[in-house]
Amino acid sequence: MPSIAASRQPPRAAFDPHTICSHAETWVTSLEWDKINESYHANQAGYRQGCLPLLPALAG
């Protein structure tokens, strides 16, 4: 997968194919009543493949 920074796409665009309703690997958690603060946040794959590639560009 190419890095988000290299492709110059908006950060949210990387998550679009990986939403809860998509047929690809999801990068966000679904609604969890017992862990409401974790609902709809990036999961492990989302952090690894969606957020982590942004850090070098943000750090400058």
Side-chain angles (χ1 to χ4, degrees):
M1 176 178 147
S3 76
I4 295 170
S7 68
R8 301 282 186 222
Q9 65 179 343
R12 188 174 174 95
F15 278 83
D16 287 344
H18 300 280
T19 60
I20 293 170
C21 296
S22 71
H23 296 290
E25 175 187 25
T26 57
W27 286 1
V28 292
T29 59
S30 61
L31 176 63
E32 297 182 31
W33 289 107
D34 60 332
K35 295 183 271 180
I36 198 74
N37 291 343
E38 296 178 22
S39 297
Y40 304 112
H41 288 278
N43 61 20
Q44 186 177 22
Y47 280 112
R48 183 179 57 249
Q49 298 173 27
C51 298
L52 188 60
L54 292 173
L55 293 179
L58 294 173

